[in-house]
C-alpha cells in the first residue's frame, strides 16, 4: 500500500505531511527513514522505580509511547473476581486430577488477591496500559540491526516486544504524539506499577516527593529528573559546598525561587548583594545593612513572646555573643560577668526590668551600654573601661552609623534579604550575626509557624568567628523543631570542615549539595562526605552547574542544574550577562502565567511594621 500527497497540494493552514509513506507488513518507509513498531505484550511480575529508563536512554532513535486509561472501580472489581474464580477453578481441577501444581497460576492468584484487597481498601486503582515502541533507521539494513538490539534490550528487562505485523501504520501513529492507541494491546497495571513507569522517575532517589518538592535538575546518569523535598527528610538543613565559580549561589537562588512558589517563607543573609534582583522581582524586601540611613538596634526586645519567656535574659545573652564577635574573640569569665551586669543596668536605666509590662518601652542603644560601662559603679573599673574603649569604634568611631539610633525597619514578608555589601569587611561577621538573630526571632515565634528556609551565603564569614560559629551550630540543631531549614553555603571547605562546630553543622544537614571542588580540598571533602573514588573524580571534573546530591548512603545522585531563561535573568551572577540585562529593563515581576507567592511582603524598606518576633537559639 502506498500513500502519496504533494506538499503544494495542501490547503493553507494544514499540517505538513511526508511527501510519501510506503506501508509494508512490518515496516513503514518514509522519504528519509525506515521504521518498525512493536507492542509490549509481556511484563515482569515486579518492577522498580525507573524501570523504563533503559528504553528511554537508548542511544538510537527510539520512540516510546505509554497509553494509560483508568478502569472504573466497579468494572475493575468485577474483573478481578472473575479472574480469581478462573484461577481457583483451574487450581482445584489440577488437584482433582492429580496434576502438578501450576506455579505461574498460583503466583497470578496471589497477585490478583493483593490487587483485590488494595482496590477494596481504596489504596490504589487499576489502569489499562499500552506500551509501544517505534524504531527508526536510515535504511532497511540498519533498521534490522536496530530492531535486534532493541528487542534484546527489552528481553533483558523481561519485556516481550512483538512486531505490529500487518499493522505497521497503526503502530507508527500510536507512537506519534496524538494520544491515539490504534493497536489496543493493553495490560492491566495497578497504581504502584504505573507510578514506577513514570518516564521522568529517577532510580537514584526515593520517589516519595512531598508537597514542597523542588526540581533540582536533570540526572547526569539517566534521563530522569531530580525532584527533592528537603522538608520530607529527617531534618530540613542543607550544606552547599563548592569552589568559587562552580554555581553554588546560582543553585541556591534557584531553589529559593522555586520554594517561594510552594509557599515557603525564605530569609537570606547575602554578603554580596546577589539576591537583590530576585527580591525586587518577587516583591520581597531587601535590607541593606551599612547603607546610609539604615540603623539596627541590637537591644530591641521582641514584641511577641510567651507568658513564661524571659525575653530580657535571652536578649542579654545574645548581646554578649554579639559583643564578643565585635571584639574579635571570646570573653574571659570576668569580662563576661562585667558585661552582663552592664547590660542589665542599661536596660534598667531605660525603665526595662524583668516585668513584662516594661518590655514595650523604647530600648536603649549601644551608646547607653558604653556609658554604663564607664559611669556605673557596679561595672566601672579596668574591665569595664577596657570594654568601653573596645566598643568606642561602634559608638563614636568608623563603625557607628549602623548602631547610631533606633531600628529603622523590622523585616517581614515571604522573602527577606539582609544585604551586607555596604558593610566594611571588618563588620561582615557582625552583620551576619545581627541578621541571623532577626531571622531566628521570626522562626521561633510560636504564633506564626510555617515552613521557612534560612539561607546563609558565604558562611565562612561567620564560621571564622568562634561565637558566630556556635550561634550557627545552635541554629542548625534547633531549626527542625520550628519547621525551618538552614542552608549553609560556602566556598571555603577548610573553615567548615576544619572545626568541630563546622563538622557538627554538616552532620546535622540531611541535604548536602556538592559542586566542583578544588584538588586541594577534595581530600577533606571526600572524607567528610564519605565519597567514592568515582564521586571524587566527578567533583574534580564537574562543569559549572553540575552537582552531587548526598542524602545518606542510599540517596546519592549526580545532576545538572537547569533553569528557564526568565529564572536565569533573576538569579544569574555572570558579570557579562548582568551587563546585558542592565542595558535593558530591570526585572520587576514574576514570569508570565506564574502565581505570585502568598504574603506579598514589602517592595521597599519601611518602618511602620511592628517586630512580631520571639526568642533566639541561646
Amino acid at each position: 500500500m502506498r500513500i502519496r500527497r504533494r506538499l503544494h497540494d495542501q490547503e493553507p493552514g494544514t499540517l505538513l505531511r511526508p511527501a510519501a509513506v510506503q506501508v509494508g507488513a512490518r515496516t513503514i518507509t518514509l522519504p528519509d527513514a525506515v521504521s518498525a513498531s512493536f507492542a509490549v505484550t509481556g511484563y515482569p511480575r515486579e518492577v522498580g522505580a525507573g524501570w523504563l529508563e533503559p528504553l528511554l536512554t537508548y542511544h538510537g532513535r527510539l520512540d516510546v509511547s505509554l497509553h494509560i486509561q483508568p478502569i472504573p472501580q466497579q468494572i475493575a472489581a468485577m474483573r478481578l473476581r472473575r479472574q480469581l474464580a478462573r484461577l481457583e477453578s483451574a487450581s482445584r481441577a489440577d488437584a482433582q486430577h492429580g496434576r502438578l501444581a501450576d506455579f505461574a497460576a498460583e503466583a497470578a492468584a496471589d497477585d490478583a488477591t493483593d490487587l483485590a484487597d488494595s482496590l477494596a481498601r481504596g489504596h490504589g486503582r487499576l489502569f489499562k496500559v499500552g506500551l509501544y515502541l517505534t524504531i527508526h533507521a536510515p535504511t532497511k539494513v540498519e533498521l534490522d540491526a536496530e530492531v535486534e538490539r532493541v528487542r534484546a534490550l527489552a528481553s533483558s528487562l523481561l519485556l516481550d516486544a512483538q512486531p505490529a505485523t500487518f499493522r505497521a501504520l497503526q503502530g507508527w501513529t500510536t507512537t506519534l504524539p496524538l494520544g491515539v492507541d490504534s493497536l489496543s494491546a493493553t495490560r492491566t497495571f495497578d497504581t504502584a506499577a504505573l507510578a514506577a513507569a513514570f518516564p521522568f522517575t529517577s532510580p537514584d532517589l526515593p520517589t516519595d516527593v512531598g508537597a514542597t518538592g523542588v526540581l533540582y535538575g536533570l540526572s547526569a546518569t539517566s534521563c530522569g529528573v531530580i525532584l527533592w523535598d528537603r522538608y520530607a527528610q529527617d531534618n530540613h538543613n542543607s550544606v552547599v559546598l563548592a569552589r568559587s565559580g562552580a554555581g553554588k549561589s546560582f543553585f541556591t537562588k534557584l531553589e529559593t525561587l522555586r520554594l517561594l512558589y510552594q509557599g515557603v517563607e525564605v530569609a537570606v543573609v547575602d554578603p554580596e548583594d546577589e539576591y537583590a534582583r530576585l527580591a525586587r522581582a518577587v516583591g520581597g524586601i531587601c535590607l541593606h545593612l551599612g547603607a546610609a540611613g539604615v540603623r539596627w538596634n541590637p537591644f530591641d526586645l521582641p514584641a511577641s513572646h510567651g507568658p513564661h519567656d524571659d525575653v530580657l535574659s535571652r536578649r542579654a545573652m545574645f548581646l554578649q555573643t554579639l559583643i564578643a564577635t565585635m571584639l574579635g574573640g571570646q570573653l574571659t569569665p570576668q569580662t563576661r560577668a562585667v558585661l552582663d551586669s552592664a547590660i542589665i543596668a542599661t536596660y534598667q536605666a531605660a525603665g526595662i526590668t524583668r516585668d513584662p509590662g516594661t518590655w514595650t518601652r523604647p530600648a536603649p542603644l549601644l551608646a547607653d551600654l558604653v556609658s554604663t560601662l564607664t559611669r556605673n559603679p557596679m561595672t566601672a573599673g579596668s574591665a569595664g573601661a577596657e570594654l568601653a574603649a573596645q566598643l568606642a569604634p561602634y559608638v563614636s568611631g568608623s563603625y557607628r552609623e549602623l548602631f547610631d539610633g533606633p531600628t529603622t525597619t523590622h523585616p517581614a514578608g515571604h522573602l527577606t534579604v539582609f544585604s551586607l555589601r555596604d558593610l566594611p569587611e571588618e563588620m561582615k561577621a557582625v552583620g551576619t550575626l545581627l541578621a541571623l538573630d532577626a531571622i531566628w526571632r521570626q522562626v521561633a515565634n510560636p504564633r506564626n509557624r510555617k515552613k521557612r528556609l534560612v539561607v546563609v551565603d558565604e558562611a565562612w564569614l561567620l564560621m571564622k568567628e568562634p561565637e558566630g560559629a556556635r550561634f550557627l551550630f545552635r541554629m542548625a540543631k534547633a531549626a527542625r523543631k520550628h519547621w525551618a531549614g538552614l542552608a549553609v553555603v560556602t566556598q571555603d571547605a577548610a573553615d567548615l570542615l576544619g572545626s568541630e562546630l563546622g563538622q557538627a553543622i554538616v552532620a546535622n544537614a540531611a541535604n548536602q549539595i556538592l559542586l566542583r571542588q578544588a584538588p586541594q580540598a577534595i581530600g577533606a571533602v571526600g572524607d567528610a562526605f564519605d565519597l567514592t573514588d568515582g564521586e571524587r573524580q566527578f567533583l574534580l571534573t564537574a562543569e559549572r552547574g553540575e552537582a552531587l546530591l548526598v542524602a545518606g548512603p542510599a540517596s546519592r545522585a549526580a545532576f545538572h542544574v537547569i533553569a528557564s531563561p526568565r529564572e536565569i535573568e533573576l538569579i544569574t551572577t555572570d558579570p557579562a550577562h548582568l551587563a546585558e540585562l542592565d542595558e535593558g529593563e530591570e526585572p520587576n515581576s514574576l514570569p508570565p502565567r506564574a502565581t505570585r507567592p502568598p504574603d506579598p511582603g514589602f517592595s521597599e524598606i519601611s518602618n511602620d511594621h511592628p517586630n512580631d518576633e520571639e526568642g533566639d537559639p541561646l
Side-chain angles (χ1 to χ4, degrees), residues 29-203:
T29 304
L30 300 172
D32 56 351
V34 184
S35 64
S37 298
F38 293 82
V40 176
T41 58
Y43 295 84
R45 183 169 181 263
E46 296 182 357
V47 294
W51 61 275
L52 277 180
E53 180 189 0
L55 291 175
L56 299 175
T57 57
Y58 182 70
H59 65 276
R61 185 183 173 189
L62 173 65
D63 295 338
V64 181
S65 179
L66 193 67
H67 292 262
I68 305 169
Q69 181 181 353
I71 301 176
Q73 295 284 83
Q74 297 83 355
I75 297 177
M78 179 182 64
R79 290 181 178 177
L80 280 175
R81 284 196 298 269
R82 290 179 179 175
Q83 182 69 8
L84 283 171
R86 284 195 292 266
L87 293 171
E88 181 65 23
S89 176
S91 176
R92 292 182 180 182
D94 290 341
Q96 289 177 358
H97 293 82
R99 304 190 189 100
L100 294 176
D102 186 349
F103 297 106
E106 292 183 0
D110 293 339
D111 292 342
T113 302
D114 293 340
L115 283 176
D117 180 71
S118 176
L119 195 66
R121 297 176 183 274
H123 294 167
R125 297 187 59 183
L126 295 185
F127 302 85
K128 292 171 62 177
V129 178
L131 179 59
Y132 309 101
L133 313 174
T134 296
I135 307 166
H136 303 268
T139 64
K140 182 67 168 62
V141 175
E142 295 181 57
L143 178 65
D144 293 339
E146 288 290 320
V147 166
E148 291 299 325
R149 283 192 285 266
V150 171
R151 297 193 71 176
L153 176 61
S155 298
S156 69
L157 301 175
L158 301 182
L159 299 175
D160 185 11
Q162 295 295 329
T165 307
F166 298 114
R167 304 186 68 188
L169 180 62
Q170 289 85 344
W172 179 55
T173 57
T174 297
T175 56
L176 292 176
L178 302 176
V180 177
D181 184 359
S182 302
L183 293 179
S184 299
T186 59
R187 179 74 174 267
T188 301
F189 277 45
D190 65 341
T191 303
L194 181 59
F198 182 64
F200 299 114
T201 299
S202 173

Side-chain angles (χ1 to χ4, degrees), residues 590-603:
L590 288 171
R593 296 190 301 272
T595 304
R596 187 174 297 274
D599 303 329
F602 313 107
S603 58

Side-chain angles (χ1 to χ4, degrees), residues 271-288:
E272 299 297 336
D273 201 30
E274 296 181 358
Y275 292 76
R277 181 186 294 269
L278 175 60
R280 288 193 296 268
V282 301
I285 180 173
C286 188
L287 179 61
H288 294 269

Side-chain angles (χ1 to χ4, degrees), residues 299-380:
F299 284 79
D300 286 338
L301 298 177
S304 176
H305 52 81
H308 304 292
D309 291 342
D310 191 353
V311 174
L312 187 60
S313 297
R314 291 179 176 272
R315 187 79 331 217
M317 287 187 283
F318 169 74
L319 288 170
Q320 294 175 34
T321 301
L322 176 65
I323 292 174
T325 304
M326 288 179 173
L327 303 184
Q330 298 185 19
L331 301 177
T332 64
Q334 180 184 3
T335 304
R336 188 176 292 275
V338 171
L339 180 60
D340 183 66
S341 299
I343 292 173
I344 298 300
T346 302
Y347 274 114
Q348 290 177 347
I352 299 175
T353 64
R354 297 188 182 277
D355 180 9
T358 64
W359 294 348
T360 58
R361 295 175 180 175
L365 303 175
L366 187 61
D368 299 325
L369 175 63
V370 174
S371 299
T372 302
L373 286 170
T374 56
R375 299 176 184 175
N376 193 311
M378 297 180 59
T379 59

Side-chain angles (χ1 to χ4, degrees), residues 313-534:
S313 297
R314 291 179 176 272
R315 187 79 331 217
M317 287 187 283
F318 169 74
L319 288 170
Q320 294 175 34
T321 301
L322 176 65
I323 292 174
T325 304
M326 288 179 173
L327 303 184
Q330 298 185 19
L331 301 177
T332 64
Q334 180 184 3
T335 304
R336 188 176 292 275
V338 171
L339 180 60
D340 183 66
S341 299
I343 292 173
I344 298 300
T346 302
Y347 274 114
Q348 290 177 347
I352 299 175
T353 64
R354 297 188 182 277
D355 180 9
T358 64
W359 294 348
T360 58
R361 295 175 180 175
L365 303 175
L366 187 61
D368 299 325
L369 175 63
V370 174
S371 299
T372 302
L373 286 170
T374 56
R375 299 176 184 175
N376 193 311
M378 297 180 59
T379 59
S382 59
E386 184 179 355
L387 274 174
Q390 290 176 312
L391 289 174
Y394 299 95
V395 175
S396 57
S398 304
Y399 308 145
R400 70 181 185 279
E401 189 167 356
L402 181 62
F403 304 104
D404 191 19
T407 301
T408 55
T409 184
H410 296 288
H414 62 280
L415 176 61
T416 305
V417 177
F418 291 84
S419 176
L420 310 181
R421 187 180 62 177
D422 297 322
L423 287 174
E425 195 65 30
E426 297 79 7
M427 286 279 291
K428 289 290 180 70
V430 175
T432 303
L433 195 58
L434 288 172
L436 286 176
D437 171 63
I439 293 169
W440 182 256
R441 286 191 283 173
Q442 291 183 354
V443 168
N445 185 359
R447 303 180 183 179
N448 187 24
R449 294 196 183 278
K450 61 177 64 176
K451 286 184 179 179
R452 289 185 171 93
L453 177 65
V454 181
V455 179
V456 184
D457 208 342
E458 303 298 348
W460 60 271
L461 293 171
L462 196 61
M463 290 301 299
K464 65 182 181 181
E465 302 292 340
E467 293 293 341
R470 274 192 285 271
F471 187 93
L472 201 62
F473 167 70
R474 286 190 288 267
M475 178 176 283
K477 295 279 286 185
R480 180 188 62 83
K481 301 176 183 178
H482 300 283
W483 210 8
L486 174 66
V488 177
V489 185
T490 183
Q491 64 183 11
D492 198 331
D495 283 339
L496 189 63
L497 303 176
S499 65
E500 293 183 0
L501 290 177
Q503 294 175 5
I505 291 174
V506 172
N508 281 278
N511 313 276
Q512 300 159 357
I513 310 296
L514 306 177
L515 292 94
R516 183 166 185 173
Q517 302 295 320
Q520 298 83 355
I522 191 62
V525 173
D527 294 340
F529 296 93
D530 195 21
L531 302 180
T532 64
D533 292 340

